[in-house]
Amino acid sequence: MHELSVCLSLLREVERIAREHNAGRVTKISVTVGPLSGVEPPLLENAFPIAAAGTVASAATLHLDFMPVRVTCGECGKESEVPANRLVCEHCGDWRTQLLSGDELMLERVVLDTAGRGD
């Protein structure tokens, strides 16, 4: 399962952030996912508890934000929100578009618990 390796990579970064801020645990992790990211959100959610077991994020919740696919048209210059399988301008129908969003897989936010960590 590809999503398990994605979670493991994500958690390495989360653990680095927790160490950097002297946090005892992580309570929430927010990730932005686009339909063109190559990741299936339900599989990512299922893999997360397995990957997080035994880490500072073992009790953390994973929150997924979804980014729509947006393109800008090279012909008319307008932006469109489009389906992932039809990257054409919704205004003029031209196929010469540039992807603006929808391929993201970004760690957006990590909520840390630093209470009781005086060292």
Side-chain angles (χ1 to χ4, degrees), residues 12-24 26 56 112 114 117 119:
R12 278 193 295 275
E13 181 63 14
V14 168
E15 286 190 308
R16 185 195 64 75
I17 292 167
R19 274 192 313 274
E20 182 178 293
H21 294 278
N22 200 27
V26 174
V56 294
L112 305 172
T114 58
R117 302 287 299 210
D119 42 32

Side-chain angles (χ1 to χ4, degrees), residues 3 42 63 84 109 119:
E3 284 73 7
H63 177 77
R109 185 170 184 228
D119 42 32

